[in-house]
Amino acid sequence: MMDRRKFLKAGSVGAGLAFATLGATSVLASGATAAKRSDTSGDASSLHDEFALKETTIDALQQKMERGELTSRQITDLYLKRIDALNKRGVKLNAVIELNPDARMIADQLDAERRQKKVRGPMHGIPILIKDNIDTADRMMTTAGALALSGHKAARDASIIARLREAGAVILGKTNLSEWANFRSTRSTSGWSSRGGQTKNPCVLDRNPCGSSSGSGAAVAANFCTVAVGTETDGSVIAPSSFCGIVGIKPTVGLVSRTGIIPISKTQDTAGPMARTVKDAAILLGALAGIDPADPVTLQSRDRAHTDYTKFLDPTALKGKRIGIERSFLSGHEGVVSVFKEAIELLKKQGAETIEVDLLKSTKELGDAEYQVLCYEFKDGVNAYLASANAGSIKTLADVIEFNKQHEAECMPYFKQEILEACARKGGLYMQEYQDALIKSTSARALIDSLMKEHSLDAIAGTSIGLPNCIDLVNGDYDTGFYFCPPAAMAGYPHITIPMGKVHELPIGLSMIAGAYQEPLLLALAYAYEQASLKREAPKFIPTLIV
C-alpha cells in the first residue's frame, strides 16, 4: 500500500534459486532523448526490442500453442531467459525474488495434456508470477520479503494457487514486494524488502515502482510474464499498476480467497490480477475468483462470481453511462491534470455523461479509523498465520520484531519497524477501540453508495495516484498526490486502473470504482476506455530523467 506518508500523517494507511543462466545478451537501457544513459547500459541492440513475446497476450499465446508454433515449455524458457537478462543483470530490475525450479517440468506436463487434446482453459500453459506473500506448496519460499521468514516453505498452496494450478497456469516464480506489504515503517521505501532488495520501475529506472505489489507490477510491465498476481489492502495492486503503466484490478473483498496469503487485514485484504491488457486481467480474474470454505467472506460471492469475465468486455460499454469525476483531481500537477482531463473528454466522446463529485472529501473525514483497523487486524492475522506456519523460531509478530532487532544491519539498514511495534502493542479484536474504528472505516461503503445513488452513477473515476517518485532509501517515499485508493479499500469495493497516459515518460493510471461485485461493469467500462485510448506503452528502461 503506497502513499504511507500521506496515509499515516492523516492517521490512516496508504498501504533461493539462482536465476536461469541461458546466455542472454546484455541490455541497452534505451530512452527519450532527454534521458541520461547509464554507463552500463550495454549494446545498442536491446533485448527488449528483440524479445519474441514482447507485449504478447494470453490469447496470442494460446493461438501459438494451438497452431503448434510454440509450446508452453518454449514460452516458459523465453520468459526465464528474459528474467535472467534483465532481473539481476542488464538493467537489474530486481522484480523477481525467486524462480520456481519446477516451472519447466510443469510446462512439459501441460504440453503433454495439450497433445492429448486436453486444454483446461485460457490459462493452460501460461506462465505467471506470484507475489511473495502467497503460499506455494513447492520448493519456493513464502516470506513477504522478510529475512525473518527466510527458509519458510508452505505446507499447502494458498487457495488461489490451487485454483491457478487447476486452471493450467505455470507458476514461474515469485515477485519482490515492499516488505510486510508496506506495513512496517512510516518511512519505508516502496519496492524494498530485506530479502529482495529494491525493485526498480522499468519505465524510468531511478523511479519507484510503488507498492506493495512492486515486483508484480514491474515484472508485467517489463514483459517478464504475461500476467501476475498482486495483493492489496489499500493501493497495493492499483498504485504499482499505475506507476508501471499496466492494468490492475482490486476485486471486491470476498470475490477471491485469502487463505494462505500472509495477511494485513481480514476486512480489506484481497489478491488481484495485474496485466498489460484489460482482457488478460479479466481472464486471470476468472481463474482466481470463487468460494473457499476456509475463507468465510467468500461465501458472500455465491452467484456473484464468474469463471469468465471476458464475456462482459464491450467496446461500446461507456455509451449512456454516468461516470462520477473526482473533483479534487481537477487541480494539482498540471501534467497529471491535463492527462486526466483528456481522459474525461474521451469518456464523453465514447458516450458517457460525466458528473463532478467530492468522494475524497467525505472519506477523509473518517480520520485514522482505517489505520487502527489495520493495526489490530495485522497483529491478529499475522499471529494466526505464523502459529501454523513452518517458519522455524518465528511463531508470532513479537518474534519477527525481535529477529529484526537482532539482525538490524541486514533487516533495518534504511528504516525501522515502528508500525510492527505499534501493532504488537494493540490488544485483541474484542477491544472497543477496534470495534469503533471498524464501524467508522467501513462506513465508506455507505458514503460511496449514497453518492452513487444521489447522482445515479454507474462508476466513479479518478487519477489512480500521482507520478512515480524517485527511489529514496534514506528519506523514504514522498507524496506525489492524486491518491484514489482509500475509499474502495475501506469499503471493500472493486477498483480497476488502466493506463491513461504519461508525463515525462512517467505513467499515470485512470481509476474506476463501483459497488460490491460490480467487476463485470468495471471491466466493461475499462475495456471500452482502453480500446478507445490505447495508452499502454512498453517500458523503455530509461536510466533517469535527469540530464
Side-chain angles (χ1 to χ4, degrees):
M1 59 200 77
M2 171 59 188
D3 217 19
R4 283 164 323 287
R5 181 92 28 125
K6 176 180 179 182
F7 177 61
L8 291 165
K9 279 185 177 178
S12 47
V13 174
L17 171 73
F19 291 101
T21 52
L22 300 176
T25 59
S26 62
V27 177
L28 167 71
S30 61
T33 55
K36 180 179 180 180
R37 294 184 183 275
S38 166
D39 291 338
T40 59
S41 56
D43 186 82
S45 59
S46 170
L47 177 65
H48 180 66
D49 293 330
E50 298 173 353
F51 183 49
L53 303 181
K54 179 181 176 182
E55 297 295 285
T56 196
T57 63
I58 291 173
D59 279 352
L61 291 179
Q62 288 297 345
Q63 290 168 12
K64 288 182 181 296
M65 287 188 283
E66 288 167 11
R67 293 194 296 258
E69 297 173 9
L70 283 176
T71 64
S72 176
R73 170 62 180 267
Q74 290 171 326
I75 293 168
T76 298
D77 281 340
L78 283 167
Y79 279 127
L80 288 173
K81 183 177 181 179
R82 183 165 178 80
I83 292 168
D84 176 61
L86 299 178
N87 192 64
K88 294 294 185 183
R89 300 193 293 146
V91 297
K92 299 180 180 179
L93 198 61
N94 205 31
V96 178
I97 201 168
E98 185 172 5
L99 287 174
N100 185 0
D102 300 321
R104 293 184 177 89
M105 179 190 70
I106 295 169
D108 286 340
Q109 292 170 347
L110 293 165
D111 283 334
E113 289 185 12
R114 188 180 292 271
R115 288 193 295 271
Q116 297 168 4
K117 309 300 181 184
K118 179 183 178 182
V119 178
R120 304 185 188 195
M123 289 299 298
H124 188 106
I126 303 296
I128 183 171
L129 286 167
I130 307 296
K131 187 176 178 180
D132 182 41
N133 60 348
I134 303 172
D135 286 344
T136 55
D138 50 28
R139 291 192 278 169
M140 292 189 291
M141 293 184 280
T142 304
T143 68
L147 283 177
L149 296 187
S150 183
H152 168 235
K153 295 182 180 179
R156 292 176 297 279
D157 278 336
S159 177
I160 60 170
I161 297 300
R163 296 183 72 88
L164 287 171
R165 293 192 199 277
E166 182 62 27
V170 178
I171 309 300
L172 191 62
K174 293 197 172 182
T175 55
N176 195 27
L177 67 159
S178 311
E179 186 172 325
W180 291 108
N182 243 356
F183 207 58
R184 199 191 97 174
S185 171
T186 57
R187 208 185 69 243
S188 64
T189 300
S190 292
W192 185 90
S193 71
S194 58
R195 181 186 170 211
Q198 179 66 50
T199 298
K200 301 175 185 176
N201 190 316
C203 299
V204 180
L205 296 170
D206 64 357
R207 297 279 165 162
N208 200 286
C210 209
S212 65
S213 302
S214 318
S216 294
V220 170
N223 285 265
F224 282 8
C225 56
T226 318
V227 290
V229 178
T231 66
E232 172 160 329
T233 305
D234 186 328
S236 288
V237 166
I238 299 300
S241 295
S242 179
F243 267 31
C244 295
I246 63 171
V247 175
I249 301 174
K250 195 280 290 190
T252 304
V253 174
L255 186 66
V256 174
S257 171
R258 289 84 56 81
T259 303
I261 301 176
I262 297 176
I264 289 180
S265 165
K266 66 178 184 178
T267 301
Q268 295 184 195
D269 285 355
T270 182
M274 303 175 77
R276 290 184 293 273
T277 69
V278 173
K279 186 172 185 180
D280 279 357
I283 291 171
L284 180 53
L285 183 62
L288 296 174
I291 292 173
D292 171 19
D295 185 0
V297 72
T298 63
L299 298 175
Q300 299 172 16
S301 71
R302 190 180 302 279
D303 300 325
R304 294 195 277 186
H306 301 272
T307 56
D308 179 13
Y309 283 92
T310 65
K311 63 186 178 183
F312 301 107
L313 304 183
D314 177 4
T316 67
L318 283 163
K319 187 175 182 180
K321 296 298 190 296
R322 291 174 59 84
I323 309 296
I325 301 297
E326 174 55 44
R327 183 178 286 120
S328 65
F329 294 159
L330 295 174
S331 61
H333 188 289
E334 67 282 357
V336 179
V337 172
S338 177
V339 170
F340 185 37
K341 287 182 176 179
E342 179 184 324
I344 294 168
E345 290 306 309
L346 184 57
L347 295 176
K348 294 177 182 178
K349 186 177 180 180
Q350 295 302 306
E353 182 180 356
T354 62
I355 302 93
E356 292 184 17
V357 297
D358 287 308
L359 175 59
L360 290 183
K361 182 179 179 180
S362 57
T363 54
K364 284 176 181 177
E365 293 175 357
L366 301 178
D368 73 343
E370 182 188 10
Y371 176 64
Q372 296 302 326
V373 168
L374 301 194
C375 283
Y376 276 99
E377 292 186 349
F378 179 77
K379 177 183 179 180
D380 181 76
V382 166
N383 280 340
Y385 177 90
L386 293 175
S388 61
N390 181 28
S393 61
I394 307 297
K395 298 296 183 185
T396 65
L397 176 58
D399 293 336
V400 172
I401 292 170
E402 185 58 30
F403 179 95
N404 290 343
K405 289 178 179 178
Q406 293 298 320
H407 302 84
E408 185 167 3
E410 299 81 14
C411 297
M412 301 188 291
Y414 304 113
F415 50 87
K416 304 307 177 185
Q417 57 178 349
E418 60 271 22
I419 293 180
L420 297 186
E421 292 169 353
C423 293
R425 292 192 293 269
K426 294 295 185 183
L429 301 187
Y430 56 84
M431 298 291 290
Q432 191 62 47
E433 182 184 44
Y434 167 72
Q435 297 293 335
D436 292 343
L438 182 62
I439 292 170
K440 192 172 184 179
S441 180
T442 54
S443 70
R445 298 168 190 166
L447 294 174
I448 295 172
D449 292 347
S450 175
L451 189 64
M452 294 187 72
K453 183 178 180 180
E454 178 186 353
H455 298 284
S456 300
L457 301 177
D458 294 287
I460 304 174
T463 301
S464 302
I465 190 172
L467 297 171
N469 54 288
C470 293
I471 294 171
D472 187 344
L473 289 167
V474 176
N475 297 299
D477 292 337
Y478 55 87
D479 177 20
T480 59
F482 302 97
Y483 192 52
F484 197 49
C485 296
M490 289 186 284
Y493 283 178
H495 186 168
I496 189 166
T497 182
I498 325 100
M500 183 168 62
K502 288 184 174 181
V503 175
H504 302 300
E505 294 292 339
L506 300 172
I508 311 166
L510 174 68
S511 277
M512 295 186 191
I513 69 172
Y517 299 101
Q518 291 298 303
E519 283 81 2
L521 171 63
L522 287 181
L523 283 163
L525 299 178
Y527 182 75
Y529 174 80
E530 174 194 57
Q531 295 303 300
S533 64
L534 299 176
K535 292 295 186 179
R536 160 66 190 171
E537 295 180 14
K540 300 174 183 176
F541 302 103
I542 299 170
T544 181
L545 294 178
I546 302 172
V547 295

